Amino acid sequence: MELKEYFASVKGTGILSTADDKGVVNAAVYASPHCLEDGLVAFIMRPRKTHENIILNPSACFLFMEAGRMEGKRIYLTKVKEEKNSELLFSLRRHCKQDESERKEDLYLVFFKVDKVRNLVGDQEV
């Protein structure tokens, strides 16, 4: 099953883990990624620790646990680009569709290539 189909059909909780240039790790709760037609996945980020880390170190891992089950995916990622306050970003927003001009905080759409996908448990690559 492709990631786009998977995330469209399965509910659960996601954790995006990043590390800075010294290897200090951070983990944050994130919604499912936006799966794009070119095979990239994207996350909308605020200017917080996760975004700071991804600027310093392009590697990340998104762990997704399906609701009520001990199943899911571990998706290993490498950042390839980002956009700030772009039209695409605002068109992808699932929640909080309020007028962003009311906010003082920038938003970033960060694009990743998928390096590897593994099941939540075990070493099997999917």
Side-chain angles (χ1 to χ4, degrees):
M1 179 185 301
E2 294 290 325
L3 288 177
K4 186 172 188 166
E5 296 164 347
Y6 176 77
F7 287 117
S9 64
V10 178
K11 301 291 183 216
T13 302
I15 307 292
L16 184 61
S17 296
T18 58
D20 65 17
D21 56 342
K22 294 176 180 57
V24 177
V25 177
N26 180 63
V29 175
Y30 266 78
S32 300
H34 299 279
C35 298
L36 307 173
E37 296 303 319
D38 57 6
L40 298 178
V41 298
F43 292 93
I44 296 172
M45 297 182 180
R46 296 187 182 282
R48 308 252 194 305
K49 191 67 180 162
T50 298
H51 186 253
E52 289 172 20
N53 282 355
I54 213 67
I55 291 169
L56 300 171
N57 177 347
S59 298
C61 181
F62 183 68
L63 181 146
F64 183 80
M65 182 180 286
E66 295 178 15
R69 302 175 61 171
M70 195 59 170
E71 292 186 34
K73 306 280 183 219
R74 290 174 290 158
I75 305 169
Y76 297 85
L77 306 164
T78 302
K79 177 188 170 189
V80 294
K81 63 182 178 176
E82 73 175 50
E83 299 174 358
K84 181 171 141 183
N85 298 327
S86 69
E87 286 185 35
L88 178 58
L89 183 157
F90 292 115
S91 73
L92 291 174
R93 296 214 50 199
R94 296 180 184 124
H95 304 291
C96 304
K97 298 278 188 191
Q98 70 213 39
D99 181 8
E100 287 300 318
S101 65
E102 299 172 11
R103 298 191 80 112
K104 302 259 190 255
E105 187 173 55
D106 289 324
L107 294 175
Y108 300 89
L109 183 60
V110 184
F111 300 84
F112 295 87
K113 74 178 176 84
V114 175
D115 298 318
K116 174 175 18 181
V117 179
R118 289 196 166 140
N119 288 323
L120 180 64
V121 178
D123 239 5
Q124 180 182 3
E125 201 168 320
V126 186

